[in-house]
Amino acid sequence: MRPEEARLNPDGFLAGWSQKEITRLMYTLLVVVSASVAILVWYSVRLVEWYAREPVIDYELVTPTTPDEKKILDKPSIKASGTTAIQCYAPATGEFLGFVNPVTPEGIDRAIEKTQAAQKKWAYTTFSQRRQVLRCIQAFILKNQDEICRIACLDSGKTMIDATLGEILVTVEKLSWTVLHGEKALRPSRRPTNFLMAYKANHVEYEPLGVVAALVSWNYPLHNLVGPMISAIFAGNGIIVKASENTAWSAAYFSLIVKGALHVCGHDPNLVQAVTCWPQTASYLTSHPSISHVTFIGSRPVAKLVAASAAKSLTPVVAELGGKDAAIILDSAKKDLPRIIEILLRGTFQAAGQNCIGIERIIALPEVYDQIVKALEPRVRALRVGSILDAPKDQQVDVGAMISDVSFGRLENLIQLAVKDGARLLVGGSRLHHPIHRSGHYFQPTLLVDVTQDMAIANEECFGPVCTVMRASTPDEAVTMANAPNFGLGASVFGSWDWAMRIVVKKLKTGMVAVNDFAAYYAVQLPFGGVGGSGYGRFAGEEGLRGLCNIRSVCDDRWGWAGIRTAIPAQIRYPIPETGRGYNFTKGVVNIGYGIGLKGRLEGLKGMWKSR
């Protein structure tokens, strides 16, 4: 035996190995480790280069301030006598914040002109340049989230927790998703061809529309304003956002967050514009011939006006119109009720119920109904209402103010009618006269149970801190109840993932469903939108980005370099030499391409041969 083949007797896993085998193992390990290190270094260099191309640049903004002399309005309203300006105030306290001059039609023209000029250059930016802007926006929001939340709370009346969840979290998620996945959604995509057109290569391109518009609601003043800007500019567009007059005070500052990022990255900040106007002026924007697309977030009656206005210039509209979202609790959820109760409370009372995908109805099956009512009553009764910005540090606030008191009479009437028809009012039910903030807009957190489908409150959107509980005897009945109102935005279903759950999810007539959760689809950037009275079209996700593009189909020559291109056969060239022969020839072509089986295609070939 040669020395290198001598058997060794070391301890451990090498026991009995020869010197040659050990050497071979060491060389193999050396190659694997070297290759792994090389791959790791290569990817690290690429990662550093990627980030170097899109560096985050810090910038600062001047935050809005309130008047030096604090003034509490006696009967706060956005309309003030003696002026056409929008009167801004804090819904939680009635504190006067200032006046904002509404934009005029001439002002809208100027804004569109500036945005058009900026967009012509922006359309030719790379995805990397666009990502850099979004990274800067995200960094600014995370760095300044305390101040951003404070401003959102002051202008809309919500709590700091509601602002963090509904303004910060969802906005940075949209930014993060777009940075990570936006380019993939908008890159040209290859499409299949067929037998007759095998010499053609097909792809779809997504090019900018130009200048788009968004009309947004007041319930999330940062997110609703900045969200459409994120998608629009990443798709290569410019955008005009019409902010709600109810949150006009914060709109300018929130728009500056995007403008500031554009500026520090070397782009024209006029690419995005935020305007505020009275309703009678908004139609000038939606019908403007220079607007290529309109996104509307608001009520159904206003949506009809927006759609009619946009139709004048044949401008496409995406409409998100709120909902009457149901949370269905199946009997199989019995063991999970403690967790579910927490989700139901958050889903109902988040932002004082002013949430388009908030839980408006809890539909419970027999085995869980009584337990849910029993668990909810003390929790709803314990909710504390007030202004988080003005409360002492040792005082807790669970639910903030509503944006105005305009809906209070309607809510009280819906609740009173339901009680008259047999519903039980366990907590709340009317406006709250706050002992400290007498000019604030507060409604008592309300728990209404034994609600039936024929009651108005089961079919009309409350958009307030009202928890309604309904009883269903079977999963089928629960689905029927959930689908009954003329809304179809979102829904939640709780229970075991079994056949009953699958049937419920499949039968729900909504645009979105969260299983064993509330509104989870919005936290992962799935396409957002509803059906029926909740609107049409989608924003967010790939579908939302592509909806802001001209989707252009391109069919080119696969082998053009070889001279293989479409040529018109002699039998059908104008003027056609012989009509009958030409017809038989084209019939043969159809059979070759689409004949059933080999026999059908051979018949097509035979027909072409006879017509040659």
Side-chain angles (χ1 to χ4, degrees):
M1 180 182 291
R2 289 180 296 179
E4 66 272 13
E5 293 180 348
R7 310 308 291 182
L8 300 180
N9 293 294
D11 294 331
F13 77 95
L14 294 178
W17 286 44
S18 68
Q19 182 66 43
K20 184 177 181 180
E21 289 170 331
I22 294 174
T23 302
R24 186 183 299 117
L25 173 64
M26 297 307 294
Y27 274 116
T28 302
L29 289 175
L30 179 62
V31 171
V32 171
V33 171
S34 299
S36 299
V37 171
I39 292 171
L40 181 62
V41 170
W42 186 83
Y43 274 108
S44 298
V45 171
R46 291 295 304 272
L47 184 64
V48 170
E49 290 176 347
W50 182 54
Y51 272 99
R53 289 199 306 269
E54 302 165 3
V56 172
I57 306 172
D58 288 333
Y59 58 100
E60 301 292 336
L61 296 176
V62 177
T63 57
T65 58
T66 57
D68 294 334
E69 184 179 346
K70 189 172 183 178
K71 177 183 177 183
I72 303 297
L73 300 174
D74 184 32
K75 294 182 179 180
S77 170
I78 57 174
K79 292 184 178 180
S81 59
T83 179
T84 59
I86 299 167
Q87 181 173 248
C88 304
Y89 65 92
T93 62
E95 178 185 355
F96 175 71
L97 302 178
F99 286 106
V100 171
N101 288 321
V103 71
T104 62
E106 293 76 20
I108 291 175
D109 283 335
R110 289 192 294 271
I112 291 175
E113 288 174 5
K114 291 178 181 179
T115 304
Q116 281 180 321
Q119 192 274 332
K120 288 179 181 178
K121 296 179 181 179
W122 178 257
Y124 294 99
T125 55
T126 63
F127 286 120
S128 179
Q129 290 174 305
R130 298 173 191 177
R131 277 194 298 266
Q132 183 189 22
V133 172
L134 299 195
R135 290 183 191 278
C136 293
I137 296 171
Q138 182 174 347
F140 181 92
I141 291 174
L142 292 172
K143 180 181 178 181
N144 297 276
Q145 60 181 303
D146 291 344
E147 190 64 21
I148 291 171
C149 285
R150 187 191 68 81
I151 292 169
C153 291
L154 190 59
D155 207 17
S156 67
K158 63 184 61 176
T159 67
M160 290 289 282
I161 291 175
D162 287 346
T164 303
L165 295 174
E167 307 283 7
I168 304 298
L169 185 149
V170 291
T171 303
V172 295
E173 158 58 23
K174 190 178 186 74
L175 286 161
S176 178
W177 183 92
T178 308
V179 166
L180 293 173
H181 308 291
E183 180 177 355
K184 179 183 176 183
L186 298 182
R187 278 201 305 255
S189 57
R190 287 286 176 185
R191 299 301 171 89
T193 187
N194 57 50
F195 180 73
L196 290 178
M197 303 292 285
Y199 63 97
K200 289 292 185 179
N202 312 314
H203 68 273
V204 175
E205 299 175 345
Y206 305 95
E207 64 175 14
L209 287 173
V211 178
V212 300
L215 289 78
V216 300
S217 56
W218 41 260
N219 50 337
Y220 293 103
L222 168 74
H223 182 67
N224 285 353
L225 185 86
V226 174
M229 292 182 177
I230 294 169
S231 297
I233 66 175
F234 194 81
N237 300 306
I239 184 170
I240 312 288
V241 180
K242 187 267 179 190
S244 170
E245 51 271 34
N246 286 290
T247 50
W249 181 73
S250 61
Y253 172 71
F254 290 149
S255 68
L256 284 176
I257 295 175
V258 180
K259 285 177 172 286
L262 287 164
H263 176 72
V264 297
C265 292
H267 307 291
D268 189 343
N270 287 318
L271 184 70
V272 298
Q273 304 280 349
V275 300
T276 310
C277 63
W278 295 112
Q280 59 268 26
T281 308
S283 61
Y284 186 80
L285 174 63
T286 54
S287 63
H288 203 287
S290 296
I291 296 297
S292 302
H293 182 280
V294 173
T295 299
F296 174 77
I297 303 174
S299 69
R300 193 185 304 170
V302 177
K304 293 179 180 179
L305 299 175
V306 170
S309 175
K312 296 175 183 177
S313 52
L314 296 179
T315 303
V317 177
V318 167
E320 190 272 282
L321 313 180
K324 190 68 178 173
D325 290 14
I328 298 175
I329 321 298
L330 301 174
D331 287 334
S332 59
K334 192 172 183 178
K335 293 182 179 180
D336 198 22
L337 282 184
R339 182 189 70 89
I340 294 171
I341 292 298
E342 304 303 328
I343 293 176
L344 295 177
L345 287 165
R346 171 55 59 182
T348 302
F349 295 103
Q350 165 95 9
Q354 300 166 116
N355 186 0
C356 58
I357 50 174
I359 296 175
E360 291 258 341
R361 297 169 293 157
I362 298 172
I363 303 175
L365 269 69
E367 292 185 23
V368 295
Y369 184 88
D370 291 334
Q371 295 179 61
I372 289 173
V373 172
K374 183 179 179 180
L376 285 175
E377 182 177 0
R379 299 292 298 278
V380 176
R381 195 179 300 279
L383 292 176
R384 296 153 294 189
V385 180
S387 172
I388 191 63
L389 299 181
D390 301 276
K393 289 186 177 180
D394 59 345
Q395 182 177 329
Q396 311 308 316
V397 175
D398 301 304
V399 180
M402 294 185 69
I403 195 69
S404 76
D405 58 1
V406 172
S407 64
F408 287 0
R410 180 182 64 87
L411 287 175
E412 290 171 339
N413 185 56
L414 287 172
I415 294 167
Q416 290 165 9
L417 288 174
V419 172
K420 182 179 178 182
D421 291 337
R424 289 187 294 141
L425 178 62
L426 302 184
V427 183
S430 62
R431 69 193 72 195
L432 172 66
H433 300 285
H434 200 280
I436 299 174
H437 308 300
R438 300 182 184 278
S439 294
H441 303 313
Y442 296 100
F443 199 90
Q444 293 178 350
T446 297
L447 177 60
L448 188 67
V449 304
D450 296 346
V451 174
T452 57
Q453 192 55 57
D454 57 338
M455 297 177 183
I457 200 167
N459 296 281
E460 294 184 25
E461 185 178 27
C462 290
F463 218 64
V466 180
C467 180
T468 61
V469 187
M470 308 173 70
R471 187 193 302 268
S473 57
T474 65
D476 277 345
E477 185 183 17
V479 172
T480 300
M481 293 166 66
N483 290 337
N486 185 22
F487 288 98
L489 190 56
S492 299
V493 186
F494 295 87
S496 300
W497 186 245
D498 53 18
W499 65 271
M501 167 80 83
R502 289 180 172 87
I503 290 174
V504 169
V505 171
K506 188 175 183 63
K507 288 185 175 181
L508 283 169
K509 296 179 181 178
T510 64
M512 303 162 292
V513 180
V515 176
N516 286 315
D517 212 329
F518 151 70
Y521 38 77
Y522 200 64
V524 291
Q525 289 299 298
L526 289 175
F528 187 92
V531 297
S534 289
Y536 50 87
R538 297 292 183 269
F539 58 81
E542 292 185 6
E543 290 78 2
L545 274 180
R546 291 174 175 177
L548 292 169
C549 297
N550 172 38
I551 301 177
R552 183 169 58 192
S553 301
V554 178
C555 183
D556 56 22
D557 294 316
R558 189 185 301 274
W559 303 298
W561 53 270
I564 301 175
R565 297 184 178 91
T566 297
I568 304 300
Q571 293 90 332
I572 57 173
R573 292 175 187 168
Y574 290 117
I576 297 172
E578 187 178 334
T579 304
R581 206 166 106 193
Y583 168 71
N584 288 330
F585 179 85
T586 54
K587 183 179 176 182
V589 170
V590 172
N591 286 330
I592 284 178
Y594 306 100
I596 305 302
L598 180 60
K599 181 180 179 181
R601 298 196 178 216
L602 287 175
E603 288 178 355
L605 184 61
K606 181 180 177 182
M608 284 185 63
W609 178 257
K610 287 183 176 180
S611 304
R612 67 186 188 281

